[in-house]
Amino acid sequence: MRYKKDIVVLKFGGTSVGDIEKIKRVADRVIRSKNEGKSVVVVVSAMGDTTDKLIGLAGEIASNPSRREMDMLVSTGECVSGSLLAMAIQEKGYKSVSLTGGQAGIVTDELYSNAKILNIRTERILKELRRDRIVIVAGFQGVDTGGNITTLGRGGSDTTAVALATALKAKYCEIYTDVEGVYSADPNMVEEAKKLESISYDEMLELASSGAKVIHLRAVEFAKKNNVILHIRSSFNDNEGTWVMDDFKKDVRMERPVITGVTYDVGEAKVSIFGLEDKPGIAADLFGRLAEKNINVDLIVQNVSEKNIAAISFTIRTEDVPLAKKVLKKMKNVRTEIDTEIAKVSIIGAGMQSNPGVAAKMFKILAEKDINIEMISTSPIRISCVIKENRIKEAVKALHAGFELA
Ligand code: ADP
Ligand code: ASP
Ligand code: MG
């Protein structure tokens, strides 16, 4: 049976539910949407830095804790904020119920700490909405087909929200956070950064995948695939935020700027492997071993071989370094170096496709600051450079100013 009323999904991040006063304010915000006649589904993150604290507790007990128990542990953070928010709403005289990811019908695969949503059984949520309740769903978690609790990766509550919006055919999905929207650079690093009125899915995908943690990458993938309109906005005021959608107001600007934003990522490490025999199958073997252990590889550079001996450098997430070390140890006759003091700076913009010289300008801006580029990678709408981590702030600011984004 089709659900008749308009459903909206609102997601509140960790800082937005950081303490009791903030949770009460979120309750007011949610009730306002309810009073506009909508059926409201709310997704919450854990309060403040709860998830980090829980991970810290595990570290005090085990050096290599079971992945299943880690997910069991960190999933509790979202249950706390969800139940408190339901209570706050009830205190204000409205009906509300909080659900875990599993109770909300979110079924995932078995990949602990980075699980993917397979499907959402919406019956329970729809039943609660029919009873006129405001439904609160714990973000970042689901349950696998064996009944084990899984989590979706850091920042994954955004993905819960967009997945629910898709499954419930919601009108839109609002992501409430601690900044007013998506900016031309991290507003907490670059004071001159500007809020974007709108951004296309493709540009948002590149921003999210290159370090702008304002929204989880998989949430954007979901939104693009299912045409879910996202509104990223502040949970502390009513200002209009940033709309993530295609064809926003159909070209009010005659020409889009060449560059939309600058991002950075300090969470990667550079791995270099020396002494590889230069013959077919070497890269397949190396990256096959890493893929087998679910280690994601980002940038890759292979140098020209001398006397049939080649070197390959690539970047991986810092948290995968211990596992990568184990994998690489099994390779014979090669020497490995790992540098965790690197950072990636990227410029993103759909306009670069029709503007030659953008890469040259980026390299020149970095050169003028005497910042050395160690690796480069590009997509049609992004250019990334790996540099020393201690130069990252300078690089981001210089590129933001150099491309006149302020
Ligand atoms: P939440 O807890 O609400 O999920 P996050 O901390 O995950 O919030 O994401 C919001 C943060 O993203 C901001 O505080 C900001 O520092 C950071 N950020 C990085 N790049 C950008 C950007 N381009 N625009 C907006 N915020 C950004
Ligand atoms: N609480 C989880 C985290 O800190 C998920 C989220 O906030 O989206 O990563
Ligand atoms: Mg987040």
Side-chain angles (χ1 to χ4, degrees):
M1 188 173 68
R2 209 183 120 56
Y3 189 77
K4 292 194 192 71
K5 267 163 84 179
D6 280 349
I7 298 175
V8 293
V9 177
L10 317 184
K11 180 259 172 179
F12 293 87
T15 23
S16 310
V17 292
D19 58 40
I20 295 301
E21 277 318 305
K22 286 183 178 151
I23 290 178
K24 287 181 181 169
R25 260 200 278 164
V26 167
D28 289 332
R29 182 70 200 78
V30 168
I31 288 169
R32 241 195 308 143
S33 288
K34 170 78 185 152
N35 286 341
E36 285 166 11
K38 310 252 174 36
S39 286
V40 185
V41 176
V42 183
V43 174
V44 285
S45 291
M47 294 171 72
D49 59 358
T50 301
T51 309
D52 290 325
K53 286 204 176 120
L54 291 169
I55 293 171
L57 286 179
E60 287 176 35
I61 287 201
S63 61
N64 191 16
S66 137
R67 292 167 70 92
R68 181 192 182 278
E69 298 313 325
M70 274 312 283
D71 276 15
M72 189 73 186
L73 175 69
V74 295
S75 71
T76 60
E78 272 66 14
C79 298
V80 172
S81 48
S83 47
L84 289 174
L85 178 58
M87 288 177 205
I89 294 170
Q90 289 162 359
E91 280 298 301
K92 292 174 194 283
Y94 286 77
K95 290 191 271 186
S96 182
V97 61
S98 69
L99 302 173
T100 63
Q103 288 173 327
I106 299 174
V107 182
T108 73
D109 63 15
E110 286 106 50
L111 189 63
Y112 293 121
S113 85
N114 202 16
K116 306 270 175 316
I117 297 176
L118 297 176
N119 65 62
I120 301 184
R121 303 198 190 110
T122 53
E123 303 90 57
R124 175 72 191 271
I125 295 180
L126 291 175
K127 188 170 122 197
E128 299 295 352
L129 291 176
R130 283 195 191 98
R131 296 163 89 177
D132 208 33
R133 290 173 162 177
I134 295 171
V135 180
I136 321 287
V137 179
F140 173 58
Q141 55 178 269
V143 54
D144 70 12
T145 46
N148 302 294
I149 290 179
T150 53
T151 63
L152 310 179
R154 296 305 305 268
S157 298
D158 297 326
T159 298
T160 305
V162 181
L164 283 173
T166 305
L168 295 165
K169 301 188 177 64
K171 284 286 262 192
Y172 52 80
C173 178
E174 294 193 308
I175 307 285
Y176 286 86
T177 183
D178 61 352
V179 290
E180 290 201 11
V182 182
Y183 284 71
S184 52
D186 184 346
N188 287 319
M189 178 187 268
V190 182
E191 301 84 63
E192 310 83 51
K194 262 206 158 135
K195 183 171 81 187
L196 309 173
E197 195 181 341
S198 75
I199 185 167
S200 66
Y201 291 116
D202 284 336
E203 285 180 309
M204 194 64 239
L205 278 176
E206 292 283 6
L207 282 177
S209 67
S210 62
K213 69 166 182 165
V214 64
I215 183 164
H216 199 226
L217 173 61
R218 293 217 319 273
V220 191
E221 285 171 353
F222 243 105
K224 177 181 155 85
K225 199 164 128 204
N226 301 290
N227 256 308
V228 179
I229 297 173
L230 302 179
H231 188 193
I232 303 178
R233 60 191 305 188
S234 168
S235 60
F236 307 123
N237 63 44
D238 285 336
N239 295 348
E240 183 98 348
T242 302
W243 292 89
V244 185
M245 60 197 292
D246 283 334
D247 293 333
F248 183 75
K249 288 187 192 162
K250 281 247 179 254
D251 286 323
V252 272
R253 295 169 290 183
M254 288 294 278
E255 286 209 62
R256 296 186 69 85
V258 179
I259 299 302
T260 303
V262 181
T263 58
Y264 66 96
D265 189 346
V266 292
E268 291 188 7
K270 178 174 145 193
V271 182
S272 303
I273 303 185
F274 304 96
L276 283 161
E277 200 185 337
D278 196 9
K279 65 171 193 197
I282 287 295
D285 173 55
L286 168 63
F287 294 111
R289 289 168 190 248
L290 296 165
E292 220 168 77
K293 295 287 176 200
N294 271 310
I295 298 174
N296 260 326
V297 173
D298 186 16
L299 278 75
I300 303 174
V301 174
Q302 176 171 358
N303 71 355
V304 192
S305 72
E306 251 180 77
K307 294 181 198 141
N308 246 18
I309 299 296
I312 291 184
S313 295
F314 53 90
T315 62
I316 57 173
R317 301 301 308 169
T318 321
E319 59 269 22
D320 285 334
V321 166
L323 191 56
K325 275 187 181 161
K326 270 195 204 159
V327 174
L328 298 172
K329 240 190 189 155
K330 297 199 182 112
M331 293 183 63
K332 298 200 179 72
N333 304 323
V334 297
R335 185 168 63 79
T336 305
E337 266 176 25
I338 297 183
D339 183 355
T340 52
E341 313 275 285
I342 56 132
K344 187 174 73 177
V345 61
S346 309
I347 56 173
I348 287 100
M352 69 173 71
Q353 290 175 104
S354 50
N355 278 278
V358 175
K361 182 167 173 183
M362 178 181 193
F363 304 152
K364 185 160 173 263
I365 292 169
L366 294 176
E368 277 165 2
K369 292 277 167 195
D370 206 23
I371 295 171
N372 191 42
I373 300 170
E374 299 186 22
M375 297 167 104
I376 298 166
S377 92
T378 64
S379 87
I381 62 168
R382 174 188 49 80
I383 305 168
S384 304
C385 296
V386 169
I387 61 172
K388 285 272 167 273
E389 186 173 338
N390 61 8
R391 307 297 303 276
I392 193 69
K393 193 168 177 178
E394 234 179 307
V396 172
K397 284 182 166 245
L399 290 167
H400 193 267
F403 281 99
E404 289 159 27
L405 294 176

